[in-house]
Amino acid sequence: MKKDLLKLMDLSREEILKILDTADELKQKQKNNIPHELLRGKALGMIFQKSSTRTRVSFEVGMFQLGGHALFLSTSDLQMGRGESIKDTARVLSRYCDGIMIRTYGQYEVEELAKYASVPVINGLTDFAHPCQVLADLMTVRERFGRLEGLKLCYIGDGNNMANSLIVGGLKCGMHVSVATPPDYKPDSKVLEFAKNHKGSDFLLTDDIFEAARGADVLVTDVWASMGQEGEAEKRRLAFAGYRIDKALLKTAGKNAIVLHCLPAHKGEEITEDVFEEQAQVIFDEAENRLHAQKAVMVLLMG
Ligand code: CP
Ligand code: NVA
């Protein structure tokens, strides 16, 4: 049966670790100029309903390095933009492509695409989840600390797609996870339910950023207004004032704490410019690791 990457909730801890191990191997090969054309002759269709810099470029370059080809398909150019159904699009693209990546709004759209596609489907971000980003984040943390289990991951800000995927990915890998959001901007209830039932590492949800950050090894944040929420930006700026990673919060975290940000960043909002620049090395390692983590996903699903 074909396999998809729709959300981290669907993956076992072993499957996540297998992706991370494969990503490390592929990164080494790339750095040492060792050819690894594991998807020679294969094609990835990339449907974009929202903007992207990292996701688009890292999938396209990743596919090239694997000996395959990626097609950028904006929904404003596809017949999908004129009403062709996801169901039919899935069945058509499956006749040409060996895999489909999609970035869109509703998680149900990705699930629908996967249901009718006969080739693997990869979630390149929905309002609910950003699994590829969090795989790259976990890879980056493991590179820095040599392990994931027992580390404390703290997320500050909006209970959005990044928060949802970090909670699931972090807990599945044995990390302790703490999250601070304003009361009206909590993570998805299905994710909170998952966290409540999780055993083996701790989960904390609070509205107090200092309580969440205390002793953390990894601090993560994301924009206050995600793609599609531009109209709420002003309201959100008020609600999230104070939900920011700055020097004082970083001091509350562990001595060797690192800061991650999926980017793009709104400096002065969710993260201060000084913290961002101090942590730039690891933040751009994180961006680079999108390439390696996604190559691993494609090799494991499409190889
Ligand atoms: N982090 C991330 O997904 O970036 P893009 O929106 O640029 O793809
Ligand atoms: N939460 C952000 C992530 C961007 C990569 C958004 O959905 O816009």
Side-chain angles (χ1 to χ4, degrees):
M1 215 178 81
K2 66 136 180 162
K3 281 203 153 183
D4 306 300
L5 173 60
L6 309 183
K7 54 187 183 302
L8 294 181
M9 209 112 75
D10 302 335
L11 270 57
S12 66
R13 174 197 293 233
E14 290 66 35
E15 286 170 319
I16 294 176
L17 295 176
K18 172 83 182 156
I19 295 170
L20 301 185
D21 291 344
T22 307
D24 288 345
E25 268 169 47
L26 291 172
K27 184 169 183 175
Q28 278 318 309
K29 289 207 165 107
Q30 186 61 31
K31 297 279 175 202
N32 295 312
N33 285 318
I34 300 168
H36 49 282
E37 296 199 341
L38 300 168
L39 296 180
R40 185 190 280 274
K42 301 216 169 170
L44 176 77
M46 308 188 298
I47 303 174
F48 281 92
Q49 167 91 354
K50 291 172 170 173
S51 307
S52 170
T53 298
R54 281 143 289 269
T55 306
R56 176 180 178 179
V57 177
S58 55
F59 266 107
E60 191 162 333
V61 170
M63 207 49 193
F64 172 72
Q65 292 175 357
L66 290 167
H69 182 73
L71 299 92
F72 172 71
L73 307 167
S74 161
T75 49
S76 58
D77 301 326
L78 289 173
Q79 294 287 9
M80 249 175 100
R82 296 176 57 249
E84 187 168 16
S85 66
I86 289 181
K87 183 173 173 178
D88 289 356
T89 306
R91 291 184 287 182
V92 169
L93 292 184
S94 295
R95 300 294 181 108
Y96 305 131
C97 300
D98 303 282
I100 306 169
M101 193 284 299
I102 178 168
R103 164 168 288 196
T104 187
Y105 291 93
Q107 180 69 20
Y108 67 91
E109 296 174 87
V110 174
E111 308 271 345
E112 170 105 344
L113 189 75
K115 181 171 166 194
Y116 292 104
S118 57
V119 298
V121 170
I122 301 171
N123 180 350
L125 180 147
T126 61
D127 291 345
F128 174 71
H130 200 358
C132 292
Q133 179 68 53
V134 169
L135 289 168
D137 294 2
L138 294 170
M139 178 183 179
T140 309
V141 173
R142 213 169 66 152
E143 272 177 350
R144 287 280 164 154
F145 292 93
R147 68 192 168 103
L148 294 172
E149 208 160 343
L151 294 178
K152 177 172 174 178
L153 174 87
C154 166
Y155 175 88
I156 303 286
D158 187 19
N160 61 13
N161 42 16
M162 279 304 298
N164 291 335
S165 292
L166 281 164
I167 292 169
V168 176
L171 289 176
K172 283 206 180 219
C173 290
M175 301 179 87
H176 305 297
V177 178
S178 61
V179 173
T181 69
D184 292 340
Y185 295 91
K186 288 183 186 155
D188 189 274
S189 56
K190 290 187 290 299
V191 169
L192 294 180
E193 191 60 28
F194 166 86
K196 206 177 87 189
N197 294 325
H198 169 79
K199 293 196 177 57
S201 54
D202 304 331
F203 177 72
L204 169 77
L205 176 65
T206 171
D207 58 8
D208 180 340
I209 61 169
F210 288 97
E211 185 190 7
R214 200 164 300 131
D217 300 290
V218 186
L219 290 180
V220 196
T221 188
D222 186 19
V223 289
W224 291 342
S226 285
M227 289 181 275
Q229 297 170 335
E230 290 78 7
E232 294 175 30
E234 201 41 55
K235 181 178 140 206
R236 285 173 167 267
R237 228 169 262 137
L238 295 174
F240 286 97
Y243 288 81
R244 157 183 306 124
I245 301 185
D246 61 10
K247 280 263 159 103
L249 194 71
L250 191 49
K251 260 209 185 114
T252 310
K255 198 159 69 64
N256 298 315
I258 59 167
V259 177
L260 297 180
H261 193 309
C262 65
L263 305 176
H266 289 196
K267 295 167 210 168
E269 293 193 1
E270 75 276 2
I271 188 165
T272 54
E273 173 109 36
D274 54 353
V275 170
F276 185 91
E277 290 307 329
E278 190 187 296
Q279 298 282 328
Q281 185 62 44
V282 68
I283 291 172
F284 291 101
D285 282 350
E286 176 192 9
E288 177 187 329
N289 285 340
R290 292 292 303 277
L291 172 70
H292 310 298
Q294 288 157 196
K295 282 168 74 180
V297 169
M298 291 191 286
V299 166
L300 292 169
L301 297 184
M302 296 164 59

